[in-house]
Amino acid sequence: MTVTGPDGQPRCGWATSAPEYVEYHDTEWGKEIRDDHGLFERMTLEGFQSGLSWITILRKRENFRKAFDQFDPQKIAAYGTDDFDRLMADAGIVRNRLKINATIANARALLELQEGELTDLLWSFQPENRPAPKTFDEVPATTPESVAMSKALKKKGFVFVGPTTAYALMQATGIVNDHLADCIAR
């Protein structure tokens, strides 16, 4: 069910509880991202969100960008013990050993791919002819495509990309469009 936003427009129900959500919903969520760097950043942030509220990550996103060198995979792949310790001490991000290590491992996995290969891989899981959901009860947490994406990413050396994280990545990057049928962003 959509909710009327502060400007009187109908939006997905989750999108009106904070000003940051309104902005993110209207300008980013579900918009197509078709470059490896942008997809790597979103994959990383979705991984950090696991078990937390998205608003926590959204509010810390600029800190994440600064802490992780603007998500430059070349720089992150070269991180060593000092960088790990620096990140674990940074109160501006989510300090989770597994998630930090996953970001470093995923940067290294990305560098093993050809330019554009991550983009092609992720977009190959775009479902065909999916009807617009009318309520959030119709929006799944995982799909057969997100399960397959997760498996494919793991085969390429990526970690911390389970089916739920993969589906959230699909939603955030426009691979699927889960804006409700009567939402202004649809």
Side-chain angles (χ1 to χ4, degrees):
M1 173 171 154
T2 56
V3 175
T4 301
D7 58 359
Q9 298 294 317
R11 288 182 176 81
C12 298
W14 62 267
T16 59
S17 63
E20 298 96 337
Y21 271 159
V22 173
E23 176 71 16
Y24 176 71
H25 170 272
D26 290 1
T27 63
E28 290 185 65
W29 193 71
K31 304 285 191 242
E32 290 189 8
I33 297 175
R34 290 185 180 260
D35 68 90
D36 288 356
H37 183 266
L39 290 166
F40 174 67
E41 176 179 342
R42 296 315 190 295
M43 178 190 301
T44 302
L45 293 174
E46 293 297 343
F48 271 97
Q49 185 272 329
S50 181
L52 302 171
S53 169
W54 179 246
I55 197 72
T56 300
I57 303 306
L58 198 54
R59 289 178 175 158
K60 291 177 179 265
R61 182 164 57 171
E62 289 308 316
N63 296 334
F64 274 105
R65 287 175 173 158
K66 182 178 175 189
F68 283 101
D69 291 300
Q70 304 301 315
F71 293 101
D72 181 331
Q74 294 277 352
K75 291 179 180 177
I76 296 169
Y79 283 2
T81 304
D82 289 346
D83 295 295
F84 178 83
D85 292 342
R86 169 184 58 81
L87 292 164
M88 285 298 294
D90 189 339
I93 66 169
V94 174
R95 296 174 287 183
N96 179 296
R97 290 180 180 282
L98 293 174
K99 295 174 182 182
I100 291 170
N101 280 327
T103 302
I104 297 167
N106 290 345
R108 292 173 181 160
L110 177 57
L111 294 181
E112 293 296 316
L113 303 177
Q114 298 295 315
E115 181 69 31
E117 189 176 347
L118 178 64
T119 299
D120 292 344
L121 175 68
L122 295 181
W123 278 88
S124 74
F125 295 100
Q126 182 179 33
E128 293 184 31
N129 303 323
R130 226 168 124 229
K134 292 183 177 74
T135 69
F136 270 113
D137 291 339
E138 296 176 16
V139 177
T142 65
T143 62
E145 294 87 359
S146 75
V147 171
M149 177 188 283
S150 174
K151 287 179 183 175
L153 285 167
K154 288 176 183 176
K155 282 183 184 176
K156 297 282 187 184
F158 290 86
V159 296
F160 221 85
V161 286
T164 303
T165 299
Y167 193 69
L169 176 63
M170 293 170 79
Q171 292 174 304
T173 61
I175 296 171
V176 297
N177 183 350
D178 276 342
H179 285 286
L180 299 181
D182 55 352
C183 172
I184 63 160
R186 182 123 193 133

